[in-house]
Amino acid sequence: MSLESSDLFGPLTKAPPATHAVPVLVPMPAPGPYSYGVPAGMTVAPGSIVQVPLGPRKVIGVVWDGEDGGKVEAAKLRPIEKLFDCPPLDDAMRRFIDWVAAYTLSPPGLVARMALRTPAAFDPEPMIEGLRYLGHEPDKLTPARRKVLELAGDGLSWTKSGLAHAAGVSTSVIDGLAKQGTFETVFLPPPPLVAKPDPDYAPHRLAGPQEDAADVILDDIKAGGFSVSLIDGVTGSGKTEVYFEAIAETLKQGRQALILLPEIALTTAFLERFQDRFGAKPGEWHSDLATKTREKVWRQTATGDIRVVAGARSALFLPFEDLGLIIVDEEHDPAFKQEDRVFYNARDMAVVRAHIAKIPVVLVSATPSVESQVNSYSGRYKRIHLPTRFADAAMPDLHLIDMRRHPPEKGGFLSPLMLRAIAKTLEKKEQSLLFLNRRGYAPLTLCRVCGHRFQCPQCSSWLVEHRFRGQIQCHQCGYAEPTPQACPECGTLDHLVACGPGVERIAEEVEKHFPDARTLVLSSDMGGVKRLRLELEAIAKGEADIIIGTQLVAKGHNFPLMTLVGIVDADIGLANGDPRAAERTFQLLSQVTGRAGRTGLKSHGLLQTYQPQHPVMMAIVSGDAGAFYEREITERERAVLPPYGRLVSMIVSADNRVDAETHARQLRMAAPAVSGIAILGPAEAPLALIRGRHRFRLLIHGRKTSDMQAFVRTMLERGPKTARSIQVQVDVDPQSFL
């Protein structure tokens, strides 16, 4: 982030000569901090947030640890121009930024940038104009004025709108009293964004396994220090209620808590559950917040006015005043992996931040990642298992539909067994969910006459038809064009065919069979966050009969009337070369089927598959998650894959294919000879072209004990310099292999 002018911070005066020099980390891809002079009269310390000149620009920076190097006299250095009146980044946060930079092989300035994204929050919030009653009665005392004076007579200060609202009068009544000298003007501190949560507001009555689980975590919090606990519980087992008690204990100790959630922007139900328990909502942190709200959350988290933050992965870089607990809910979710600029996994970095700050971290999931399971089996993490649903609600009965034996009718995608189950659910006035992790109407459009396939002109991916919008669109770069009527290759009209189903096509099939049912499609491209929140609320209230959704529906939502979950294509996640394909499919399908029967109603889950004997399918329908994890862990260990081995992905991209491939080959040739580390590639990435850039991938595979960072750092230092359009992205511990 750079700032082109000083307008944001007001006019600047010329700084006095510098008395000494300090290192300042700026939010740029530089290898380390730059030296700046400290003007006379200014006192800075490591962590102070400052404004400094950088070339012709003025940028935000952080005074960093260490010496400035002493190579240049302070008087000859460009001086710090402004010290912001806000809490500094504490020692733990600075160490965390350095650790993330070193581990992910990212410039430390880009990591620090994630903690400095709200420059308007660095100055104190402006005071608010208010009124205080002076004790003088007006010439004429009307009933409305009497109400106002009765409230204001306690001597407290009020805002004009607040006093008018409390008294039930218009603001003109307040204005009339002010003109007669009844009030004096005072300035009040800005109100907190959210009220402080009360740990004793409405505690849950936990029993059995839930109570035992809470006791384990509470003991860690009371003891203090670093610890990692993994709450491994089936869907609906009360995991949230357990960690709410951990948050309550943290609040009683006067400390702050952070809850990381993969889709916080959509989970209004979670925010309401939190408010029901603590009497106030947590501070929210995600990309959909208004700019002013983000500024308030950042500032009030740093000052300690916000005690609990529920946020997306970037909330990990908020400057808490006194962080005492981190919760990572749905810790297995791929959304915790950032794959832009700084590539990091928020789950793993949460453990690191907790270790540096010497505080507990709690990982939560109904389907933990293989890495977390291995850590819990080995004793590195405390494993807390919740095998049954809260209040003894039954898990759904799960069954496979063998599509080879019970195929859909011609042109359809739903088996007769699935349609029959939906009909029975409608008769009982209960809800059905059909899950298909594919947006749009159809993933491919082709010409029956010449076989032409519609492909993105900038990416190596097919254009997906979105019939509701009348477009075909690329899901990689966003390119879109109107749905064509004729083939551009042979010119034939009315011979284009949609191949395969998306959620829109399943909705069309459902409406054909159940025209009177209230059908709703849930997909990220069907509207913004506000619309999705409203639709989720409508489902929870029973205002839809059949819901067709993508993976959005797997994010921990609670739908009281949902008793049937149908997986349209259970095999879809297994059809690629991702080494985590089986794990991801198991997690996703388990989470989706877990939406059924959470309030105790008899429920069912049906999975349409062409591979009924696949270990993932067998594990899901048998409910034997332990057997699945045992098999998956054994295979990982045999193949020396994470967590028994380490991977680093390097994507080399350029405007033309030759430059990308040449640079990738030269990088491989520059690799040091190290025992136990092998390089695969370079080869074209599965998505070889994105946004007009050609992509080649190197995959580096090492043992668990291999120093992968040193190996890659040496490759980059010895390798060719990036020139022209060439870019190199390094992803330590990759989650995606596209």
Side-chain angles (χ1 to χ4, degrees):
M1 174 193 65
S2 63
L3 301 170
E4 296 296 339
S5 74
S6 60
D7 293 345
L8 183 60
F9 310 111
L12 299 170
T13 56
K14 186 177 180 181
T19 59
H20 64 285
V22 293
V24 176
L25 191 61
V26 296
M28 306 289 288
Y34 295 133
S35 294
Y36 284 89
V38 181
M42 180 183 290
T43 302
V44 298
S48 296
I49 299 177
V50 295
Q51 178 181 307
V52 294
L54 186 67
R57 296 172 293 172
K58 302 180 190 300
V59 301
I60 304 300
V62 186
V63 177
W64 215 241
D65 302 86
E67 301 295 327
D68 70 287
K71 297 178 182 177
V72 182
E73 293 180 24
K76 295 181 180 179
L77 292 171
R78 301 183 77 178
I80 294 172
E81 294 184 343
K82 180 172 182 176
L83 169 64
F84 289 97
D85 182 13
C86 69
L89 300 186
D90 64 17
D91 177 68
M93 174 58 96
R94 299 195 305 279
R95 288 170 57 200
F96 177 60
I97 289 172
D98 278 336
W99 198 98
V100 173
Y103 187 84
T104 63
L105 296 171
S106 303
L110 290 186
V111 181
R113 180 180 183 270
M114 294 189 289
L116 302 173
R117 282 182 170 169
T118 53
F122 303 154
D123 279 319
E125 294 181 62
M127 301 289 278
I128 297 173
E129 188 174 306
L131 302 168
R132 184 164 55 213
Y133 181 42
L134 292 174
H136 309 313
E137 288 199 1
D139 297 337
K140 184 178 179 183
L141 194 60
T142 64
R145 288 181 170 183
R146 185 177 288 109
K147 287 182 181 179
V148 171
L149 297 183
E150 285 174 357
L151 281 173
D154 57 9
L156 298 177
S157 300
W158 294 77
T159 62
K160 182 169 71 172
S161 59
L163 182 55
H165 179 75
V169 301
S170 68
T171 55
S172 61
V173 176
I174 312 296
D175 290 334
L177 289 168
K179 285 180 181 178
Q180 295 196 28
T182 306
F183 295 108
E184 67 173 340
T185 299
V186 294
F187 289 93
L188 308 173
L193 186 66
V194 291
K196 290 190 176 181
D198 178 2
D200 297 318
Y201 181 76
H204 293 288
R205 293 182 180 178
L206 301 180
Q210 289 80 18
E211 185 177 22
D212 295 339
D215 288 342
V216 172
I217 300 173
L218 292 179
D219 288 344
D220 287 339
I221 295 172
K222 291 173 182 176
F226 170 69
S227 64
V228 187
S229 300
L230 172 65
I231 302 180
D232 171 10
V234 299
T235 54
S237 60
K239 299 184 294 294
T240 304
E241 285 72 18
V242 169
Y243 73 68
F244 275 178
E245 297 313 301
I247 293 170
E249 179 59 32
T250 303
L251 293 172
K252 290 176 183 176
Q253 294 183 1
R255 308 192 74 182
Q256 294 167 291
L258 168 63
I259 310 166
L260 295 180
L261 293 160
E263 293 288 350
I264 179 62
L266 298 178
T267 49
T268 53
F270 171 83
L271 301 176
E272 290 167 359
R273 287 174 71 182
F274 187 96
Q275 185 172 24
D276 291 342
R277 169 61 181 86
F278 295 101
K281 288 186 178 181
E284 293 182 57
W285 182 265
H286 51 80
S287 59
D288 199 56
L289 287 179
T291 302
K292 288 293 184 184
T293 304
R294 287 175 66 85
E295 293 165 4
K296 287 178 179 289
V297 172
W298 192 98
R299 179 90 191 184
Q300 294 181 19
T301 301
T303 59
D305 292 318
I306 290 179
R307 307 307 298 168
V308 180
V309 173
R313 58 178 181 253
S314 58
L316 197 57
F317 292 89
L318 283 173
F320 286 84
E321 180 202 40
D322 185 15
L323 184 59
L325 174 69
I326 301 176
I327 307 288
V328 186
D329 204 348
E330 308 291 357
E331 63 88 29
H332 67 278
D333 199 293
F336 282 128
K337 182 63 186 278
Q338 173 163 299
E339 295 177 329
D340 178 38
R341 293 190 178 225
V342 179
F343 288 63
Y344 70 93
N345 189 314
R347 176 200 64 215
D348 299 339
M349 296 305 107
V351 175
V352 172
R353 181 158 188 189
H355 183 266
I356 291 172
K358 297 180 173 59
I359 60 174
V361 58
V362 180
L363 311 180
V364 185
S365 178
T367 53
S369 62
V370 168
E371 288 85 348
S372 295
Q373 285 285 32
V374 170
N375 282 329
S376 72
Y377 295 160
S378 67
R380 292 187 65 192
Y381 297 173
K382 290 184 180 179
R383 184 167 183 259
I384 301 170
H385 187 51
L386 298 176
T388 59
R389 282 188 160 180
F390 194 65
D392 296 323
M395 293 293 291
D397 293 330
L398 302 179
H399 301 280
L400 298 177
I401 297 177
D402 187 342
M403 297 295 279
R404 298 167 302 181
R405 296 178 58 193
H406 306 284
E409 63 182 41
K410 187 176 180 180
F413 300 93
L414 299 177
S415 166
L417 299 183
M418 183 75 77
L419 294 171
R420 202 177 305 149
I422 295 172
K424 289 181 179 178
T425 305
L426 285 171
E427 288 174 8
K428 294 186 289 184
K429 300 189 182 305
E430 295 169 354
Q431 290 175 322
S432 302
L433 168 65
L434 294 178
F435 169 77
L436 176 62
N437 200 19
R438 190 181 279 150
R439 293 179 286 154
Y441 183 85
L444 171 65
T445 301
L446 58 79
C447 175
R448 285 196 188 97
V449 176
C450 70
H452 172 76
R453 300 183 177 196
F454 287 82
Q455 184 173 338
C456 176
Q458 304 176 92
C459 305
S460 51
S461 60
W462 308 123
L463 293 176
V464 177
E465 181 181 356
H466 288 259
R467 191 159 292 187
F468 291 177
R469 296 204 304 260
Q471 289 182 333
I472 50 175
Q473 182 181 3
C474 174
H475 286 176
Q476 301 301 323
C477 69
Y479 170 85
E481 60 183 66
T483 303
Q485 301 301 313
C487 174
E489 192 73 22
C490 66
T492 307
L493 283 167
D494 300 327
H495 276 74
L496 301 181
V497 59
C499 300
V503 286
E504 293 178 15
R505 195 167 194 175
I506 299 302
E508 183 179 84
E509 185 174 352
V510 165
E511 288 169 359
K512 170 188 166 186
H513 289 283
F514 309 104
D516 297 327
R518 297 171 297 175
T519 303
L520 181 63
V521 177
L522 268 185
S523 177
S524 59
D525 52 16
M526 301 293 287
V529 168
K530 186 175 181 181
R531 175 177 171 175
L532 286 169
R533 280 185 165 184
L534 292 173
E535 289 174 337
L536 290 167
E537 289 174 12
I539 296 168
K541 293 175 183 176
E543 295 173 1
D545 300 316
I546 304 172
I547 299 94
I548 301 102
T550 60
Q551 63 180 355
L552 286 176
V553 300
K555 304 292 184 179
H557 309 297
N558 187 23
F559 304 133
L561 293 177
M562 189 162 289
T563 58
L564 173 66
V565 171
I567 309 297
V568 176
D569 186 352
D571 308 323
I572 192 172
L574 300 171
N576 59 54
D578 188 337
R580 291 187 175 87
E583 176 191 2
R584 291 264 175 81
T585 301
F586 173 78
Q587 290 166 340
L588 186 57
L589 299 185
S590 297
Q591 292 283 340
V592 174
T593 53
R595 297 311 102 207
R598 293 169 67 94
T599 55
L601 295 173
K602 179 70 174 175
S603 59
H604 303 273
L606 299 175
L607 291 81
Q608 296 188 162
T609 176
Y610 288 91
Q611 306 177 66
Q613 301 304 316
H614 194 285
V616 171
M617 305 305 158
M618 301 299 292
I620 290 173
V621 297
S622 68
D624 191 356
F628 170 77
Y629 279 110
E630 183 179 346
R631 176 184 173 277
E632 191 70 13
I633 289 169
T634 300
E635 289 192 2
R636 297 273 187 97
E637 189 172 16
R638 187 182 298 123
V640 198
L641 288 172
Y644 298 99
R646 300 193 60 197
L647 296 173
V648 176
S649 172
M650 299 178 71
I651 296 287
V652 180
S653 64
D655 288 344
N656 68 75
R657 189 181 185 280
V658 173
D659 285 352
E661 184 176 12
T662 301
H663 193 93
R665 292 191 180 282
Q666 290 174 344
L667 266 179
R668 172 165 183 154
M669 292 172 62
V674 177
S675 175
I677 298 181
I679 303 178
L680 306 176
E684 279 192 316
L687 287 173
L689 184 69
I690 293 183
R691 295 182 177 89
R693 296 186 63 80
H694 297 265
R695 307 165 77 244
F696 278 78
R697 186 179 70 183
L698 293 158
L699 189 63
I700 305 167
H701 181 208
R703 300 193 187 103
K704 187 176 182 179
T705 56
S706 300
D707 189 347
M708 305 292 278
Q709 281 81 2
F711 182 88
V712 174
R713 201 176 288 114
T714 302
M715 276 183 71
L716 295 172
E717 288 171 356
R718 292 182 180 178
K721 302 302 178 186
T722 54
R724 289 175 290 183
S725 68
I726 295 172
Q727 294 177 358
V728 179
Q729 291 181 337
V730 178
D731 185 359
V732 179
D733 304 331
Q735 296 290 310
S736 170
F737 290 85
L738 296 178

